Amino acid sequence: MRRLAVPLVALACLLALAGCSSLSGTGDKGYITGEGVPTEVAIGDRDAPIELTGTDLEGNDVDLADYRGKPVVVNLWWSQCPPCRVEQPDLNEAAAELGDRVSFVGINIRDSSVESARSYVRGFDVPYPSIYSADGTAILPFAGTLTPRSIPSTVVLDADGRVAASVQGRVPTTTTLLDLVEAVLDE
């Protein structure tokens, strides 16, 4: 009986470890596979405003400072990321529902060409600009909130440009994102 117990315990441990690694890890896929869990940051705990400039997919300059005065939803994506494709309709719906009370900006990392990113934007009818940052440097100002493997992730900045909320992984529903943004709008 004891000889059988040791292999069963070892098997149970391996299954538990395998289960944990597949829930929200990136493995070698380069994206987060689990649904995101929202994290809110209390007003008094927010760091300095995010300073980020870049070039969008059409070659236009984008500066997050230009969006100050109202909340900004920043979404990190990559065209080959399955969870990004799943969440994009929710992001589009939230952008339409929130209208000009909130701005949306994407950050595309990992696409080796602007055309791949543009194809995604056309295919999903993305209604907001995206900064193109194939080398991932555009996420450096989000250190402590985002990592290079944080694809997809969404960050809600308050009207002052400070991180107010984030979702690591895919936004679970449009309502989840709307609730996070509405909480910031109500501040």
Side-chain angles (χ1 to χ4, degrees):
M1 184 76 161
R2 184 172 179 173
R3 291 171 67 181
L4 182 59
V6 172
L8 287 177
V9 169
L11 178 61
C13 288
L14 285 173
L15 288 174
L17 288 173
C20 289
S21 68
S22 67
L23 286 176
S24 62
T26 60
D28 61 356
K29 298 179 188 104
Y31 56 85
I32 297 173
T33 57
E35 286 189 10
V37 175
T39 302
E40 296 179 80
V41 181
I43 294 172
D45 295 334
R46 295 179 188 164
D47 291 330
I50 298 293
E51 300 292 335
L52 173 64
T53 60
T55 304
D56 72 12
L57 300 175
E58 303 306 320
N60 301 311
D61 292 333
V62 177
D63 185 344
L64 286 184
D66 293 341
Y67 295 95
R68 303 263 162 77
K70 61 183 173 181
V72 178
V73 175
V74 179
N75 178 256
L76 185 63
W77 63 277
W78 169 44
S79 69
Q80 299 303 308
C81 161
C84 299
R85 293 170 170 272
V86 170
E87 81 172 352
Q88 191 61 59
D90 290 323
L91 294 166
N92 290 357
E93 185 178 335
E97 187 164 330
L98 292 163
D100 25 337
R101 297 185 302 150
V102 176
S103 295
F104 278 68
V105 175
I107 300 177
N108 172 270
I109 66 171
R110 297 228 180 121
D111 273 315
S112 59
S113 74
V114 172
E115 192 48 49
S116 294
R118 285 182 188 150
S119 178
Y120 176 95
V121 166
R122 280 190 306 270
F124 283 97
D125 201 22
V126 178
Y128 48 83
S130 283
I131 294 171
Y132 180 69
S133 179
D135 62 3
T137 57
I139 64 170
L140 292 177
F142 295 92
T145 302
L146 299 177
T147 70
R149 295 225 183 249
S150 296
I151 304 170
S153 286
T154 301
V155 177
V156 179
L157 303 178
D158 65 15
D160 296 323
R162 302 174 304 160
V163 175
S166 64
V167 179
Q168 295 284 322
R170 175 174 73 80
V171 171
T173 65
T174 303
T175 302
T176 301
L177 182 55
L178 290 173
D179 289 346
L180 290 173
V181 173
E182 291 292 345
V184 174
L185 284 167
D186 290 342
E187 294 177 341

